[in-house]
Amino acid sequence: MTEIPKSHPRYASLVARERVAEGVKRGYTSSQGLIAQGRGECFDYLIGERTTSSAKSAIRAAAAMLLLARRPALSVNGNVAALVSREMAALAAALKIPLEVNLFHRSEERVKKIADLLREKGAAEVLGERPDASVPGLDHARALATRGGIFDADVVLIPLEDGDRCEALVAMGKKVIAIDLNPLSRTARKATVSIVDNIIRAVPHLTDEVTRLRSMPRADLEKMVNEYDNEKVLRQAVQEIQDHLNRQSQQDTR
Ligand code: PTJ
């Protein structure tokens, strides 16, 4: 990987870019993943590269939803593996559930590489190498899922997902938690809870919330989930971008 000086003002963003490029070189991230990362970088710049207050409320609701779930599932694709494989393994450990590799541009070789990487980073159980079911309404290999994992889950976390799959999972009656920096994406609009934040910041934060809320009474968690309003949170996310841009342009004209 290219050596990036810690003093560089865009250090975190450049390191993330290097990790995705490394994922492509090692064959676990798709080349399309580079484009997805570029799109994400752009939105991260617009929100000010910080976890906004709307994202914090979405993360809290997501943690409560995962803790209340009968059978939660966590999906991992090539970009997620490149950026947060260790952190996803930690989230799975906190919830005592497996991770599941689920790819848009599926190849068996890439699934295996990602599963191996996740195991190397501490994941106790990884599903997805032997899918035995299909998500209705999706064509080709991207529909593949595992019974006992995403296929039977009542709550699914889908970071950096495409809108079709999000919609198809919602149509199966699942509650879907998205992590997507674009508050206008179809995924963010269709999900039950949309975390508009960089996955690098969002996943450790989500694990902390799961740990913090774990001892809370079920009724309190249910209240948290029932009071959560995703449309309102997405409107707030767009407003936070506007406010950030206004502050930036005022600084520029000073
Ligand atoms: O590994 P595969 O084959 O499953 O493919 C994965 C990608 C991400 C290439 C595939 O799912 C894809 O093409 O995704 P999209 O449709 O480009 O959507 C990715 C979304 O994630 C976009 O809305 C981006 O803004 C957002 N995004 C990109 N990087 C990040 C992000 N959101 C949070 N954190 C990021 N680091």
Side-chain angles (χ1 to χ4, degrees), residues 36 39-40 77-78 83 103-105 110 160 180-181 197-199:
R39 196 142 45 130
N77 65 22
L83 292 171
L103 301 183
F104 186 88
H105 311 279
R110 211 148 69 74
L160 284 61
D180 191 328
L181 273 160
D197 197 11
N198 197 317
I199 190 172

Side-chain angles (χ1 to χ4, degrees), residues 16 20 28-41 43-44 76-80 83 102-106 110 114 159-163 165 179-183 185 187 195-200:
V20 177
Y28 47 80
T29 305
S30 69
S31 51
Q32 292 88 340
L34 292 169
I35 298 167
Q37 174 64 17
R39 196 142 45 130
E41 271 185 22
F43 279 100
D44 206 11
V76 176
N77 65 22
N79 284 53
V80 176
L83 292 171
N102 194 272
L103 301 183
F104 186 88
H105 311 279
R106 188 182 172 101
R110 211 148 69 74
I114 294 172
L160 284 61
E161 188 57 80
D162 95 296
R165 196 187 267 144
I179 302 178
D180 191 328
L181 273 160
N182 178 1
S185 74
T187 304
I195 301 171
V196 179
D197 197 11
N198 197 317
I199 190 172
I200 291 180

Side-chain angles (χ1 to χ4, degrees), residues 18-29:
E18 282 297 319
R19 283 200 212 152
V20 177
E22 183 72 9
V24 175
K25 259 187 242 154
R26 294 189 179 208
Y28 47 80
T29 305

Side-chain angles (χ1 to χ4, degrees), residues 71-243:
R71 197 192 272 273
L74 307 173
S75 183
V76 176
N77 65 22
N79 284 53
V80 176
L83 292 171
V84 286
S85 40
R86 193 179 296 282
E87 292 80 359
M88 285 299 287
L91 177 60
L95 290 163
K96 299 189 179 59
I97 58 171
L99 292 168
E100 182 164 343
V101 183
N102 194 272
L103 301 183
F104 186 88
H105 311 279
R106 188 182 172 101
S107 82
E108 297 316 310
E109 190 195 351
R110 211 148 69 74
V111 172
K112 182 172 182 337
K113 282 189 177 174
I114 294 172
D116 286 345
L117 177 72
L118 292 170
R119 284 187 281 259
E120 188 192 310
K121 301 290 181 180
E125 192 185 356
V126 182
L127 304 174
E129 288 172 285
R130 281 174 296 281
D132 53 4
S134 278
V135 174
L138 291 177
D139 49 6
H140 305 304
R142 71 197 174 120
L144 294 176
T146 310
R147 287 179 203 278
I150 290 175
F151 190 75
D152 308 302
D154 54 342
V155 175
V156 191
L157 173 73
I158 50 161
L160 284 61
E161 188 57 80
D162 95 296
D164 272 10
R165 196 187 267 144
C166 175
E167 226 172 329
L169 291 169
V170 170
M172 285 178 85
K174 300 178 193 304
K175 288 182 178 149
V176 173
I177 301 164
I179 302 178
D180 191 328
L181 273 160
N182 178 1
L184 305 171
S185 74
R186 208 148 47 88
T187 304
R189 301 273 148 191
K190 296 288 173 188
T192 322
V193 173
S194 307
I195 301 171
V196 179
D197 197 11
N198 197 317
I199 190 172
I200 291 180
R201 296 187 297 269
V203 173
H205 196 144
L206 183 55
T207 307
D208 287 349
E209 283 292 78
V210 165
T211 309
R212 193 178 67 84
L213 299 181
R214 201 198 310 274
S215 52
M216 238 186 210
R218 232 183 134 75
D220 291 359
L221 296 176
E222 277 162 1
K223 188 164 179 280
M224 242 178 235
V225 170
N226 292 337
E227 283 175 359
Y228 178 79
D229 179 345
N230 204 46
E231 272 182 35
K232 191 171 147 202
V233 163
L234 286 175
R235 275 198 304 276
Q236 200 185 333
V238 173
Q239 187 61 50
E240 282 160 342
I241 291 178
Q242 282 166 353
D243 293 346

